[in-house]
Amino acid sequence: MTHIAVPKTYKLFIGGAFPRSESGRVYEVTTPRGVFLANAAQASRKDARDAVVAARAAVGGWAGATAYNRGQVLYRVAEVLEGRRTQFEDEIVRQEGVSVSAARAQVDEAIDRWVWYAGWADKFAQVAGNANPVAGPYFNLSVPEPTGVVAIVAPQDSSLLGLVSAVAPALVPGNAVVVVASERHPLSAITLAEVFATSDLPKGVVNVLTGSPAEIAPWLASHADVNALDLVGASGLEWIDLEIAAAETLKRVLPPEEGPDAAAPALARIQALTETKTVWHTKAML
Amino acid sequence: MTFLDYAPAPESTALLNLQPEYGLFIAGEFSPAGGESFTTISPATEKPIARIAHADAGDVDRAVAAARKAYDKTWSRLSGRDRGKYLFRIARLVQERARELAVAESLDNGKPIKESRDVDIPLVAAWFFYYAGWADKLDHAGLGANPRALGVAAQVIPWNFPLLMLAWKIAPALAAGNTVVLKPAETTPLTALLFAEIVQQADLPAGVVNIVTGAGETGRALVNHPDVNKVAFTGSTAVGREIARSTAGSGKKVTLELGGKAANIVFDDAPIDQAIEGIVNGIFFNQGHVCCAGSRLLVQESIHDDVVARLKVRLETLRVGDPLDKNTDVGAINSAEQLARIRELSDIGEAEGAERWSPACSLPDQGFWFAPTIFTNVSTSHRIAREEIFGPVLSVLSFRTPAEAVAKANNTPYGLSAGIWSDKGSRILAVADKLRAGVIWANTFNRFDPASPFGGYKESGYGREGGRHGLAAYLRGAK
Amino acid sequence: MTIDRVVSPAHRAIEVLGDEPTESTLKRYLDGIPGVDGVGLEQRAAALGTRSIKTTSKAWALDRIIGLIDLTTLEGADTPGKVRSLVAKAILPDPADPTTPQVAAVCVYGDMVPFAVEALGAAHTTGSGEGIQVAAVATAFPSGRASLRVKLADTADAVAAGADEIDMVIDRGAFLSGRYGEVFDEIVAVKEACRRADGSSAHLKVILETGELSTYDNVRRASWLAILAGGDFIKTSTGKVAPAATLPVTLSMLEVVRDWHRLTGERIGVKPAGGIRSSKDAIKYLVTVAETVGEEWLRPELFRFGASSLLNDVLLQRQKLHSGHYSGADYVTID
């Protein structure tokens, strides 16, 4: 007896829902050899706009959650990711044309990296923050806070690990994310969105757009309600123009990275998407 | 005579030993510039102080080359301990020449001598002391073991705290092992040039600190110089934006400390007399030429009228006048250009329907002056509630609930600083959490310390100056 | 000095409190007064202390300081002779310079009042504001630890002996344990004991002993309480407890006096006492008064220094200002 497969419709992930692109466009996702895999949604500037609105609405709650809670939610993502690992392995094999063991290794690393970042949620502030010994009767403390809405151009050569490496550090301090997935390998991004949707991540905290980074990124770079732009996967784009566009509202910009160390796990990636807030308070006995 | 008309108490300028003309300070020597020199004047009298060299692109190139050479040949090879000792020397020299520097600063900038004497110059020395001690402890700067200097730092500073901004820039840069080319503001080059003399007295290796004077295009040439690895700028958001554009894709590490429109929030349970002082200090300190000035006063409606009444009484005792008089509270506006901007925005405030008030005070005939001014009946949509005036002008708005205060405070593209006045600790901490600003002062305002990071959110710029964070801005991880 | 108020202290309190002054209404009112941030208060005082008072302003200030001094001796070893010597100094502070002003008052223990009055003779105030006042500390000064009956007798005795002013101490124990009504009632009673047979009344200075109240919030509350209860002056200290007068404490009391004036139109006096020894320090107080409540407070009806050694330092400074040379301790008299 044969089973006729029921293929998945790969849609966008915005505000916790899975809409099609408002433009109605899709594009073909194929194996490296050109075999059709799926039609992915081709996000438009309006989808990007909606994603930013969703992210802005979500950032207050996510940033305001306790660090312990964010850590728990992020760890929950890793749990659900682990449970769906065969689906990710399968998609990686088909999209990237790599061996099953290579795909398995990528999923292993993605899960471990996610867990590593999850664990930072209630610790990084202790490392990045300071009690400042100022010369006067003041309690003075510097603490890192999330920058706000972070737009990310995900690494383009990796389906899952690159995406995880860019998204996780942005979430740790409480940012909300709009990520443009790998154009060639978008399927893992949407499957990861399903993981987000079934974890306890509040809606809108991560929004996933598939399609052409070259088309979408300029709208995110110039969007006045985006606070930071992570160009880690943008080396193939006119990324200097994106940085120039981002300068209009003084966005924090992270440059493209290439090679095996691209978006390597680092505390610096978390800190790059934070603001240091310093609070002075008077101290008086009398 | 009444007692409150305190007899003049002028600080003596006899201890100044100024040159009639200053060159550029490059590779440890003063040298002439390619551009046409200009005159720096005292904004209080419009009298000339000295002729100042105007660096052109070729001069900037020379200065960057000197800094590069010093970086390659000496400074990057020196141990942190030895770099630190040079910085300690500088700190001591600043202390030794503190009064002279204060007088020069007030003369060139127009700020009251009591501020240059009691705030600016002591902080300059403190900044060098603080970072001197970091020079041999860079492993603890938060970037892992063996962090590296960036190389040559291009630093462009504003006219509001001339020597203090120099210290904020140069001290951490040198401690981290960089060499610098610094451009002081066009209207306030004097103390940077006196600092060059201090660099000579400290026997700092030639080229480690270079000072190029000039105007906007000098700064542009410096920031965009291809052999610069780090750009640190303090000034307007407009120029900061231009720098962010022009350095895009260059790989230069950039720190920007830009404008602000800080909310100073006064709750109905505030320690009222201290809050009044904090409001005054927040906006009239340094003639309001402060990027983190508390220029938007947000007062809880129930105490609005009382606060405004008390504020007006207090402003009557502010003494506006000769910056060199030890009793002056508010000095001269730094330039004719800035005065025009303050006047323009204040007139707009009036035209938009806000109520304008200034205490009775007679202003000198010569020089650039603007009486302390408060606007009441200001709405969030008024330009005086949104744009940085950078002068002694306060916009008063009101709120009803803490949530409304936070919403109004955050309703700005800026995010540099904010103030909170309340006797309720838990509310202070919660409001501080919610304010989108880099520096929050609770029951105080306009406090600065080398150990305390300073810098903004959003369009107030990025990067921090001061503290460990300020050091990290001049380093990269070993990788 | 005599001040006849249109409304009695009790009426004044009722007007401000909106109710009878009781433990609970007083507590509610005093607890509702805005707090003081000690850091900001001290910074403001320090900033006022940096005013540079030169030349003509300094000359005016030095003379004015002398005219505001309550020249004080409050020792267990005091004798009629010591008091006579003090009075002589009060009348003629600098024998070498007859243009030197006289001090505002001499301040002594109650049993020394007759000797002070006698020594002053014609220099004693006639009640019209001219001449030197005699101030007596009373109410079981400095601790105030005696029954109300004894305190009132102490007060009445001094008034009967000719004291123009009574410097009473509040019951700090009662204040610190929150019994504001008790403190209030005692001040009201002492005020009543200041009344003379002819219906006039000795001027009442209420000593808060701020060094024992410890916090600025307490100083502020105690200042309000003392004024509500009818004090004509609020005074920082007995001089027997450290710290005595400080500039921030005095500033916070001046702020209350300023607010009271805003509220009622009445002018209350302030007297920092103890620890002010140099002209330089005293000038800081003048600046603080002038810039907080206004220059009109710089007269003996509204501001006093409780001091002893301050006078000689002012005289030395005065000699320097007039001669252009620094003077020495042998050129001023000890009292």
Side-chain angles (χ1 to χ4, degrees), chain A residues 44-53 178 209 216 219-220 223:
Chain A
S44 67
R45 66 178 168 87
K46 290 186 181 172
D47 294 319
R49 175 201 63 190
D50 293 347
V52 171
V53 170
V178 176
L209 302 176
I216 306 165
W219 293 101
L220 294 170
H223 197 307

Side-chain angles (χ1 to χ4, degrees), chain A residues 135 145 147 248 252 277-278, chain B residues 241 245 432 435-436 438 440 461:
Chain A
E145 290 199 340
T147 295
E248 187 58 30
R252 289 79 179 112
K277 173 183 280 178
T278 300
Chain B
R241 186 176 286 133
R245 278 196 205 104
L435 291 175
R436 301 276 292 155
I440 313 283

Side-chain angles (χ1 to χ4, degrees), chain B residues 185-248:
Chain B
E186 185 182 4
T187 59
T188 56
L190 196 60
T191 45
L193 295 162
L194 296 183
F195 182 80
E197 295 174 5
I198 286 175
V199 165
Q200 288 178 324
Q201 288 182 335
D203 204 20
L204 198 69
V208 172
V209 169
N210 304 276
I211 290 168
V212 291
T213 44
E217 65 271 29
T218 309
R220 213 167 283 128
L222 176 58
V223 164
N224 294 328
H225 195 287
D227 202 27
V228 154
N229 307 99
K230 160 85 188 182
V231 173
F233 171 77
T234 297
S236 72
T237 289
V239 175
R241 186 176 286 133
E242 185 189 323
I243 290 172
R245 278 196 205 104
S246 69
T247 55

